[in-house]
Amino acid sequence: MSETQLGALAAELNARLSPLAAEDRLTALRAALPGKIVFTTSLGIEDQAIAHMIAQAGLDIAFATLDTGRLFPEAYDVWAQTEELYGIKIEPFYPKGEAAEVLVARQGVNGFRYSVDARKACCAVRKVEPLGRALAGAQGWVAGLRADQSEHRGALDVAAFDAERGLVKLNPIFDWTRGRVVDYVERHAIPVNALHAKGFLSIGCATCTRATLPGEPERAGRWWWEQEDKKECGLHVSPDGQLVRAGAAGAA
Ligand code: SF4
């Protein structure tokens, strides 16, 4: 499909899929798109729920994850458990070795603590560039974002055309609360990262994630030394820092 067609499809899906159950949103995306669809999982609780939905329905959607090299050991445990339970392969995408070496030589092994720009440079090497390879050739991208995770994500849509990457992006649980996600994984006995039970609501790299305190926002434990409105790693925003939206410029 051309980018114009994908843009029109994203707009149509956004209108049509909102009233559907999350499982049906995934099935409808697969039915509507002839090309490759990739689900990028962070192995967090939202993505574990989506992995279950895709695996149970047997949908032809590829699983991919970004191994930044700085993940918690618990992330590798749930990765292995998930592959074993569902009989799937989650394809890993690693930072390019030379780029990581240059980054660490330039800013130090934990240089991301020194400034937002340094942190974004680390995320660019360890996450954003590998994401580009994970999505290469795909026409559809499934992600586990929820609108109530942060103010920045509040305007999220179920489907949008990602003009930067030229694909349809689906957020099948965009309208779920965290409580609903927890209920879902418990009801279906879905394996989750053991850190969730220790106060880690949103889990990224070990060096950049801490447990949240009672009453703190859900993503307060991510890059906790930065201001709340800076907390995106570049995976889900356009180059100007805006969330990919259904009605954004570039969407047909
Ligand atoms: Fe680097 Fe932290 Fe971003 Fe991970 S979350 S890629 S360690 S800055």
Side-chain angles (χ1 to χ4, degrees), residues 68 70-71 103 107 109-110 112-113 118-127 204-209 222-223 225 233:
T68 63
R70 309 301 297 262
L71 301 181
L103 175 84
Q107 65 173 212
V109 69
N110 286 342
F112 44 79
R113 292 266 168 75
R119 195 268 294 165
K120 287 185 174 176
C122 185
C123 286
V125 168
R126 296 183 187 276
K127 292 183 174 182
C205 291
T207 42
C208 297
T209 307
R222 304 290 296 277
W223 309 294
W225 60 91
C233 57

Side-chain angles (χ1 to χ4, degrees), residues 2-252:
S2 69
E3 292 209 353
T4 303
Q5 289 171 318
L6 290 170
L9 177 62
E12 188 269 320
L13 288 172
N14 191 49
R16 180 161 60 91
L17 301 192
S18 279
L20 302 186
E23 293 89 339
D24 295 333
R25 291 167 178 164
L26 288 160
T27 302
L29 177 73
R30 184 59 284 177
L33 262 183
K36 181 180 176 184
I37 302 175
V38 176
F39 166 47
T40 54
T41 172
S42 69
L43 307 162
I45 192 167
E46 289 84 4
D47 289 338
Q48 287 302 102
I50 294 171
H52 176 86
M53 294 174 197
I54 293 171
Q56 289 299 108
L59 297 174
D60 180 17
I61 295 177
F63 292 80
T65 196
L66 310 177
D67 184 348
T68 63
R70 309 301 297 262
L71 301 181
F72 286 100
E74 289 86 346
Y76 297 100
D77 291 341
V78 76
W79 178 350
Q81 284 171 6
T82 305
E83 288 190 331
E84 193 171 331
L85 177 64
Y86 297 114
I88 60 171
K89 282 290 170 204
I90 301 173
E91 187 177 2
F93 289 84
Y94 298 95
K96 286 191 169 169
E98 189 177 345
E101 288 170 6
V102 169
L103 175 84
V104 172
R106 190 176 66 230
Q107 65 173 212
V109 69
N110 286 342
F112 44 79
R113 292 266 168 75
Y114 301 145
S115 70
V116 172
D117 284 345
R119 195 268 294 165
K120 287 185 174 176
C122 185
C123 286
V125 168
R126 296 183 187 276
K127 292 183 174 182
V128 179
E129 189 282 332
L131 176 68
R133 283 183 278 120
L135 296 176
Q139 292 195 325
W141 176 18
V142 176
L145 276 62
R146 295 181 8 251
D148 75 350
Q149 282 172 315
S150 68
E151 198 174 322
H152 187 73
R153 295 183 178 184
L156 203 63
D157 301 292
V158 63
F161 179 62
D162 186 329
E164 177 73 14
R165 297 184 174 89
L167 44 69
V168 177
K169 184 174 183 183
L170 184 78
N171 302 300
I173 58 169
F174 82 109
D175 52 353
W176 284 31
T177 62
R178 182 175 181 81
R180 187 172 175 186
V181 178
V182 171
D183 285 349
Y184 186 88
V185 300
E186 288 179 356
R187 192 153 26 94
H188 296 281
I190 297 168
V192 296
N193 189 316
L195 292 173
H196 286 307
K198 298 179 179 175
F200 289 75
L201 299 183
S202 174
I203 303 172
C205 291
T207 42
C208 297
T209 307
R210 65 159 171 78
T212 49
L213 302 171
E216 278 191 325
E218 212 168 307
R219 286 172 65 80
R222 304 290 296 277
W223 309 294
W224 63 91
W225 60 91
E226 292 182 5
Q227 288 176 0
E228 198 63 34
D229 64 352
K230 303 285 193 303
K231 293 184 175 182
E232 289 290 346
C233 57
L235 298 183
H236 301 290
V237 293
S238 57
D240 61 0
Q242 300 302 306
L243 200 67
V244 174
R245 298 274 335 269

